[in-house]
Amino acid sequence: SGLEEFVTLALAEETNVDIANAELMYFQRHPNSGSFDVIVDKLSKEPNSVAALALIELLKTHDVSDERKQSLHSLVRQARRNNNTPELLTIEAMVGNDENRANLAEILNSQNRELQLAVARGFAEVGFAKPLIGFAHDSEFYKLALRALQRMATIDAFKSLMQLQRPDDADWDATVINIGQRLPTSDLLRADDMLQRSGRDNLRLALLKSVWELSGSRSLPERKTIAKRTVPLLIEEGDAVGALQLLDTFGESLVDDDMLELRFRAAIFASAWDAAADAMPLPEPWIKAWLELKDTNQAVANVMLQQIKSRFESSLDQQQLDLLGFAPTPPTDVNDESNS
């Protein structure tokens, strides 16, 4: 914006330290890529936490070229020889390569808590999670490890996340959803399998619902795959109406047998009997579903039996009538009618 350009130009010319610091604090709140060179210049002339914090915020929020990162890395390493501040350490952790970071990881074992966390914060912002996971028993490192895994957002990050699993932890749950909804569909299914094995069906549903809401850019087959995982969980959660509405978004493309079976099941539990008949117009699937339900959900089974009777009784054979317990309609005596 015009204001950011104005502050950048003013900062480049400013000689008053207090005013320059105020302008640097502006860029801590409003990071701007156009200010990068000016802030680096200030840092090179007089390394201080105000300039360093402005750079940290910029690096968090903007992509910076590898060439600029290398140049900044050299500058920061030089500055640290005279003034080894936590802020400079964080920048070095953010802009170094993996070899540089591996060397910095030794500071995580330091007795100086401030320097430990400075390195950890830099690692977290660039997704360098591995060294942080070993310290995740510490609550601050745990949250930074979650942040690093979010920055990675890969199936390997999700596997590492499962190793950090904590029951009833809102931060862990939020990280599951943050990573999961950005995974390719094939990896999402693997992540869902991991959650299922851990018995986290409520979290599975939360993840799948969030993925579904953002699934517009995924292909139709992928969206159907996601729906197949989501709908049964919605039904189990007691939201059969939501399950039916989800499936109805497919419109005329809902022709696969397995998807029609899902729609039929959702419609049954939503008491949407016309929708059930639309999905399964023949009596056999209804009878099969009734046989399953009468042992697990008698109330729904009773209603379903009445639906079968009203919709299909005249087309059922004797074996089906006997199975369902429908009394045969007594034959009409034509002679009795004619004599009456």
Side-chain angles (χ1 to χ4, degrees), residues 126-141:
V126 293
F128 195 61
K130 188 174 180 180
L132 300 180
I133 290 171
F135 293 85
H137 56 277
D138 179 299
S139 61
E140 286 189 89
F141 277 90

Side-chain angles (χ1 to χ4, degrees), residues 71-91:
S71 175
L72 179 56
H73 182 260
S74 299
L75 185 155
V76 167
R77 290 197 69 180
Q78 181 68 34
R80 277 184 57 222
R81 290 172 187 166
N82 301 317
N83 190 14
N84 189 26
T85 67
E87 294 81 10
L88 290 175
L89 263 177
T90 298
I91 293 174

